[in-house]
């Protein structure tokens, strides 16, 4: 080998390492740069790195061509040493090669872990990609030490490793130097220092000592690590045989001793002979600082990406702390929090003093945070949390060129995002839509279509659930893992509309419950997918025709009623579901009384919720024939002694509220069900259903009050003790104000007027002052009689 090999052990996403590496490369001037990364992905670097639209943070996404839910991210920020090594090579015309195992090998290992672990298939979700945390962890398994926070197989193992004081190899060096952990030691010694002279030699020596002498339990798979290092050594040998004079090797610091050690070519070939591989595809995808942080679950993540960016841009010295405090002041002032120049001066002085006391050349993030908390936040943690999200972690999201490889579904979504002016952002942002506006309506339909594909870019807020308005409020937050979801969903179609339609039809065919199908009709109508509506409605009609359970039929009605009632608000055609509603209601009413007999307490409680929801659905339907049929079914329930007492009481109350039962009929049912001959526990259950968590009938109907009062008064002692728990549970559902009013009414003698009315004096002069406003509100003339 005639080429000169230089090894640079770095920490992934370390700004100090990146700055020192740029200086070292400027001095060495290599004509080949070898980087720890997935072999075979170099074309993405040479093709796109010069494009101004490729702005970090970004990630190399590798996924299984035949199994897209297998995926690995390799994230890079501007301050990542690997990113700077790539940039330097492209700027200086040096060759760039990745030397880690190909992505296909990593995906094969990932598949083996998934398929070999109990429940592994189910964990990924049928037809969907792995969760963002899982994908981040899989990427971390390729990001080497020194920050050895790699993926763990189970929560128990993860907890055990957190208790292990030497899970991070750097902890040994940190404890020897008097630091609490390896993270703070490395930040102080490497990332926050301004100079990098002799840095890489010192890192190599430290890693050699650790690998030779420390007993480490770092969670890495020894077999996979051995294969990775053998592959890297082989790639280095291949590069050294070619016409390169100076070769720079950029890799995780932990690997430097293994790459520089003497290892036979035959031994490495023997290891790599059975290296598993899957067919893989790769592309660039946008990344975010939030997903670069260790808090996101990314194993090789860093605590404060925003702070690391600040270190990269400002280096060391006074400008670092002054610039940081200026950014803190801007954030506080944007949120209307007091932050004067005097505050900033005192905070900077305190940070410098703390750094001097701790023998540090310049304030680190710890000193800056302590000064911020003490001076700028007055000891209040709430502004510090704001600073953490806005500055320490940061809000930056990367971008990629349009020319990067994508599936047609991704291109269609990108085109729609641009047309509808929807920008993907990592932080949650509210979006208020007026559905009478065509652009907003299309935005709503796009977000609903993505939800059908399990891509939760948007989540309806509380105000958006008001179905009767023209307004929707969404919370938008784009996740990098949605790129994987799009690749997985591309098997359903090449456009968002096609994919959402096919996915909805597949979901309908797999659904086993009528309520799920009726809710699905609601969703596809909101997404404006006529083809899916027709298919789901046909599936619902076929299932309803053979479903003999009246409660199941009733449970499907609310979603259909929403479609029928509010379809025109969202410019959707809801006529095709009306006959479904009517037919299902008719079939449910036929056998409802029999279905409600002999239910235990839990089943009766579920049935009550179903009846209440169905009653609201019939009211929304606003059809006299359907309303009459429903009230006829409720009348049968109320009068049928075979039905559960709770539900008989509920049916009586619903009829009373609707005016279908007059006071005399209600009094008759009260007398019958609360008579002295009725079993007390059943009477209490009937009363629970009749009250229906609403005290209005007790407060305002003297006849009902008198009957219930007489029933309780004449209960025997033993019966009373059996009934009290159920009564207390019923009354606990009332509003606090209603319970207070009930207590006051109990204290009043029979027939007495409420105390408030009896003691209140009518002030005619004060009342006359309100008359002009009332006349104006009611449209009466000044001389009109408003009394």
């Amino acid at each position: 080998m005639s080429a000169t090999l230089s090894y640079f052990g770095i920490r992934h996403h370390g700004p100090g390492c990146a700055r020192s590496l740029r200086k070292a490369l400027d001095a060495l001037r290599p004509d080949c740069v070898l980087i720890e990364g997935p072999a075979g992905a170099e074309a993405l670097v040479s093709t796109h790195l010069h494009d101004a639209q490729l702005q970090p943070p970004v990630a190399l996404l590798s996924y299984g061509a035949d199994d897209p839910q297998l995926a690995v991210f390799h994230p890079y920020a501007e301050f990542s040493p690997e990113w700077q090594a790539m940039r330097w090579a492209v700027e200086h015309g040096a060759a760039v090669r990745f030397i880690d195992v190909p992505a296909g090998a990593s995906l094969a290992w990932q598949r083996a872990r998934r398929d070999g672990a109990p429940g592994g298939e189910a964990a990924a979700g049928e037809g969907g990609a792995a969760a963002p945390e899982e994908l981040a962890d899989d990427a971390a398994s390729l990001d080497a030490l020194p920050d050895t926070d790699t993926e763990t197989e189970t929560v128990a193992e993860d907890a055990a490793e957190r208790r292990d004081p030497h899970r991070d190899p750097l902890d040994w060096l940190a404890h020897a130097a008097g630091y609490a952990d390896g993270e703070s030691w490395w930040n102080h010694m490497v990332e926050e220092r301004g100079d990098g002279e002799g840095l890489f030699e010192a890192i190599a020596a430290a890693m050699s000592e650790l690998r030779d002498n420390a007993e480490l339990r770092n969670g890495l798979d020894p077999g996979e690590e051995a294969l990775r290092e053998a592959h890297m050594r082989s790639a280095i040998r291949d590069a050294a045989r070619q016409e390169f004079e100076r070769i720079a090797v950029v890799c995780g610091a932990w690997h430097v001793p293994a790459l520089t050690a003497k290892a036979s070519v035959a031994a490495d070939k023997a290891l790599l002979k059975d290296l598993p591989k899957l067919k893989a595809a790769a592309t660039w995808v946008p990344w975010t600082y939030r997903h670069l942080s260790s808090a996101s679950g990314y194993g090789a993540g860093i605590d404060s990406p925003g702070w690391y960016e600040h270190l990269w841009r400002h280096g060391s010295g006074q400008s670092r702390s002054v610039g940081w405090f200026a950014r803190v002041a801007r954030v506080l002032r944007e949120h209307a929090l007091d932050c004067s120049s005097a505050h900033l001066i005192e905070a900077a002085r305190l940070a410098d003093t703390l750094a001097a006391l701790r023998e540090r050349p310049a304030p680190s993030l710890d000193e800056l945070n302590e000064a911020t908390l003490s001076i700028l936040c007055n000891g209040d943690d709430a502004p510090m949390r704001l600073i953490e999200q806005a500055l320490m972690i940061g809000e930056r999201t990367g971008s990629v060129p349009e020319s990067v490889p994508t599936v047609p579904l991704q291109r269609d979504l990108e085109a729609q995002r641009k047309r509808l002016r929807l920008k993907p952002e990592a932080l949650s942002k509210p979006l208020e839509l007026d559905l009478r506006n065509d652009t907003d309506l299309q935005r709503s339909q796009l977000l609903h279509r993505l939800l059908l594909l399990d891509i939760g870019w948007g989540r309806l807020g509380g105000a958006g659930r008001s179905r009767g308005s023209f307004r929707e409020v969404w919370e938008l937050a784009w996740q990098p893992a949605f790129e994987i979801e799009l690749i997985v969903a591309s098997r359903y179609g090449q456009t968002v509309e096609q994919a959402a339609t096919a996915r909805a039809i597949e979901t309908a065919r797999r659904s086993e419950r009528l309520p799920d199908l009726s809710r699905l009709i609601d969703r596809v109508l909101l997404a404006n997918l006529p083809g899916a509506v027709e298919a789901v409605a046909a599936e619902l009609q076929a299932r309803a025709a053979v479903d003999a359970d009246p409660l199941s039929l009733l449970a499907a009605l609310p979603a259909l009623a929403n479609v029928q009632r509010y379809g025109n608000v969202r410019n959707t055609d809801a006529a095709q579901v009306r006959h479904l509603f009517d037919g299902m209601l008719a079939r449910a009413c036929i056998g409802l009384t029999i279905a409600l007999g002999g239910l235990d307490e839990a089943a009766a409680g579920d049935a009550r919720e179903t009846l209440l929801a169905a009653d609201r659905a019939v009211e929304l339907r606003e059809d006299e024939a359907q309303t009459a049929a429903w009230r006829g079914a409720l009348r049968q329930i109320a009068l049928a002694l075979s039905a559960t007492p709770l539900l008989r009481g509920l049916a009586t109350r619903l009829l009373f509220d609707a005016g279908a039962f007059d006071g005399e009929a209600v009094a008759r049912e009260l007398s019958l069900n609360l008579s002295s001959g009725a079993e007390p526990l059943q009477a209490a259950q009937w009363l629970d259903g009749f009250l229906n968590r609403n005290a209005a009938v007790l407060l305002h109907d003297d006849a009902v009050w008198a009957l219930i009062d007489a029933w309780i008064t004449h209960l025997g002692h033993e019966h009373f003790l059996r009934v009290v728990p159920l009564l207390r549970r019923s009354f606990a559902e009332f509003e606090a104000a209603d319970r207070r009013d009930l207590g006051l009414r109990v204290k009043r003698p029979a027939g007495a007027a409420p105390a408030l009315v009896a003691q209140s004096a009518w002030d005619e002069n004060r009342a006359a002052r309100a008359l002009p406003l009332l006349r104006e509100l009611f449209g009466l003339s000044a001389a009109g009689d408003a009394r």
Side-chain angles (χ1 to χ4, degrees):
M1 300 183 194
S2 58
T4 302
L5 292 171
S6 300
Y7 293 85
F8 301 97
I10 51 88
R11 176 189 185 174
H12 305 288
H13 320 305
C17 287
R19 183 179 296 105
S20 298
L21 179 62
R22 288 286 303 206
K23 293 179 181 178
L25 293 176
D26 286 336
L28 180 64
R29 310 293 294 184
D31 49 0
C32 179
V33 179
L34 305 180
I35 301 173
E36 181 189 329
E42 296 86 355
L44 290 171
V45 176
S46 58
T47 304
H48 302 291
L49 206 68
H50 65 278
D51 196 319
Q53 290 183 330
L54 186 66
Q55 293 293 327
V58 292
L60 268 175
L61 165 62
S62 304
Y63 59 93
D66 301 321
D67 190 1
Q69 54 195 349
L70 296 172
V72 178
F73 288 117
H74 290 80
Y76 303 109
E78 182 184 12
F79 48 80
S80 298
E82 300 95 328
W83 179 263
Q84 290 302 322
M86 287 185 260
R87 295 290 308 173
W88 189 95
V90 170
E91 292 166 3
H92 293 83
V96 178
R97 294 184 182 178
F98 289 146
I99 60 175
D100 207 343
V101 294
S106 304
L107 297 175
W109 292 334
Q110 187 183 130
R111 183 176 67 176
R113 287 192 294 269
R114 182 195 68 182
D115 297 346
E121 289 285 359
E126 187 174 4
E133 294 81 4
E134 293 168 340
L135 292 173
D137 284 343
D138 288 326
S141 68
L142 301 181
D143 286 331
L145 298 173
D147 55 322
T148 56
D149 293 331
T150 54
E151 73 171 319
T152 54
E153 296 299 327
T154 64
V155 175
E157 290 178 11
D158 186 45
E161 287 174 356
R162 283 197 299 269
R163 292 190 296 269
D164 186 348
H166 301 305
R167 180 172 182 252
D168 186 342
L170 295 180
D171 285 349
W172 291 90
L173 300 177
H175 294 164
Y179 286 80
D181 54 64
E183 174 82 10
S184 57
W185 176 81
W186 184 272
N187 281 335
H188 180 206
M189 300 300 297
V190 178
E191 309 303 349
E192 294 178 350
R193 289 185 59 160
D195 63 279
E197 185 177 353
L199 173 65
F200 298 108
E201 293 82 355
I203 289 176
M207 294 302 110
S208 296
E209 288 297 319
L210 286 178
R211 291 189 68 134
D212 291 342
N213 301 302
E215 295 182 5
L216 303 173
R217 297 173 290 280
N218 53 36
L220 297 176
D221 185 303
E224 293 180 11
E225 287 301 291
L227 286 170
R228 293 181 59 212
E229 291 174 346
H231 192 280
M232 285 190 272
R233 286 192 296 265
S234 297
I236 293 170
R237 293 190 195 102
D238 291 342
R241 295 191 191 100
Q242 300 181 22
E243 299 299 324
F244 296 123
E245 295 183 4
R246 296 173 300 278
I247 299 175
V249 181
V250 180
C251 62
W254 181 255
H255 298 300
V256 172
L259 302 186
T260 56
K262 292 182 179 180
S264 68
V265 176
D268 286 345
K269 285 185 177 180
L271 276 175
L272 297 173
K273 181 179 179 181
D274 298 324
L275 185 69
K277 289 184 181 179
L278 289 179
K279 186 179 179 181
T283 187
W284 289 108
V285 295
W287 205 249
T288 70
Y289 275 1
R290 187 169 69 83
H291 290 88
L292 198 65
S293 70
S294 53
S296 70
Y298 169 41
I302 50 181
D303 292 340
S304 307
W307 167 245
Y308 270 17
E309 179 192 294
H310 186 77
L311 286 178
W312 168 252
R313 295 181 181 275
H314 294 275
S316 61
Q318 190 69 20
S319 63
R320 186 170 80 188
S321 56
V322 171
W324 181 257
F325 280 126
R327 297 177 65 192
V328 170
R330 185 179 302 114
V331 169
L332 294 177
R333 290 167 181 169
E334 286 174 353
H335 290 81
L337 297 174
D338 184 32
C339 184
S340 67
S341 299
H343 283 102
L344 297 175
I345 293 172
E346 288 303 316
R349 288 175 177 171
L350 178 56
D352 289 338
T353 303
L354 291 172
L357 289 172
R358 294 166 184 173
E359 299 180 352
R360 297 185 175 182
S364 68
L365 184 59
D366 290 339
E367 287 77 41
L368 296 174
N369 281 344
E370 291 174 22
T372 300
L373 178 62
S374 299
I375 305 299
L376 303 183
C377 301
N378 297 313
D380 187 356
D381 287 335
M384 284 302 299
R385 289 193 293 271
L386 177 66
I387 293 168
E388 178 184 6
Q389 293 299 317
L391 296 183
M392 293 167 60
I393 293 179
E395 303 175 359
R396 187 176 298 276
T397 300
S399 63
V400 300
E402 296 180 1
S403 57
V404 300
T406 57
V407 297
L409 182 61
Q410 290 174 298
R411 291 195 293 271
D412 179 65
L413 176 59
E414 183 62 28
Q416 293 196 55
R417 285 196 302 214
K418 289 184 177 180
R419 180 172 58 84
L420 299 175
R421 300 185 299 278
L422 289 173
K423 182 179 179 181
E425 296 179 283
L427 289 182
S428 181
K429 300 288 185 182
L431 176 68
E432 184 172 335
L433 302 179
D434 183 346
L435 300 176
R436 296 167 294 184
N437 177 283
D438 185 61
T439 299
D440 281 357
L441 179 61
Q442 292 183 52
R443 288 173 175 173
S444 172
Q445 291 169 354
L446 174 62
L447 294 172
H448 280 293
R449 289 172 181 178
L450 291 175
L451 286 176
L452 286 168
L453 294 172
D454 292 331
I455 300 174
W457 180 16
R459 180 175 59 85
L460 274 174
R465 299 191 183 98
S466 178
R467 300 297 307 277
S469 71
F470 291 97
R471 179 170 170 262
E472 276 186 351
V473 178
W474 292 81
E475 288 290 332
L476 302 186
W478 183 259
Q479 309 291 340
F482 292 160
E483 303 290 346
I484 290 294
E485 302 285 357
L486 285 168
I487 294 171
V488 172
S490 64
R491 65 189 175 97
Y492 292 107
Q494 298 185 357
T495 67
V496 175
E497 181 178 0
Q498 291 174 355
T501 298
R503 179 64 186 278
I505 294 173
E506 179 186 83
T507 302
R509 290 171 180 168
R510 293 182 176 181
S511 296
E512 298 180 355
R513 301 176 62 250
L514 287 178
D516 295 337
L517 281 170
S518 66
R519 284 192 290 268
L520 185 58
I521 283 188
D522 193 12
R523 294 176 64 192
V524 295
L525 274 168
L526 293 176
N528 192 21
L529 300 173
V533 171
E534 183 176 352
V536 177
E539 189 71 25
L540 178 60
Q541 187 170 18
R543 299 283 185 86
V546 297
D547 196 320
D549 182 6
L551 289 175
S552 178
L553 293 168
L554 289 180
L557 295 181
L560 296 178
N562 284 331
V563 171
Q564 183 273 333
R565 179 67 176 86
Y566 300 121
N568 290 335
V569 175
R570 290 163 175 81
N571 199 25
T572 58
D573 182 12
Q576 55 188 312
V577 301
R578 292 193 183 107
H579 73 281
L580 282 174
F581 183 100
D582 297 345
M584 292 169 65
L585 177 62
R587 293 186 66 242
C589 289
I590 292 173
L592 187 57
T593 304
I594 299 175
L596 298 183
L599 300 180
D600 60 20
E601 184 177 358
D606 293 339
R608 169 161 67 175
E609 300 303 324
T610 301
L611 290 177
L612 288 171
D615 187 71
R616 290 191 293 269
V618 172
E619 184 179 355
L620 283 178
R621 177 68 176 86
E622 292 185 334
D623 183 270
E624 292 184 4
Q626 306 308 320
T627 301
W630 174 244
R631 289 178 181 173
L634 289 178
R635 182 182 295 272
Q636 291 180 7
I637 297 170
L639 301 178
L641 296 180
S642 60
T644 304
L646 174 73
L647 302 177
R648 287 193 284 112
L650 175 65
T652 303
R653 177 61 183 273
L654 292 177
L655 290 168
F656 179 60
D657 289 343
F661 266 9
D662 56 19
E664 183 178 347
V666 172
R668 184 170 57 253
E669 291 302 312
L670 280 167
S671 300
L672 176 64
N673 288 279
L674 301 183
S675 65
S676 57
E679 204 281 323
L681 197 55
Q682 292 188 2
Q685 292 173 343
W686 187 94
L687 181 61
D688 183 24
F690 178 76
L691 294 178
N692 194 27
R693 305 163 185 158
N694 188 336
V697 69
L698 286 175
L699 289 171
H700 304 295
D701 194 308
D702 291 336
V704 171
W705 174 271
L707 287 169
I708 295 176
D709 180 61
W711 171 68
I712 295 177
T713 303
H714 291 89
L715 283 175
H717 179 70
E718 293 183 2
H719 286 173
F720 180 78
L721 293 180
R722 292 173 59 191
V723 168
V724 162
L726 186 59
L727 289 178
R728 291 187 63 182
R729 187 171 64 183
S730 301
F731 279 70
E733 300 288 345
F734 297 161
E735 297 291 337
D738 289 340
R739 293 200 301 270
R740 183 174 59 252
D741 291 343
L742 286 173
L744 294 175
R745 177 159 188 173
V746 168
K747 296 178 181 179
R748 295 201 313 264
L756 181 62
V757 176
Q759 295 176 6
S760 298
W762 178 259
D763 190 335
E764 196 165 326
N765 292 329
R766 292 183 63 191
R769 287 154 58 184
L771 292 180
L773 178 59
L774 290 175
R775 291 192 185 99
E776 184 177 351
L777 290 174
F778 289 113
L780 300 176
S781 63
D785 187 4
R787 289 171 292 180

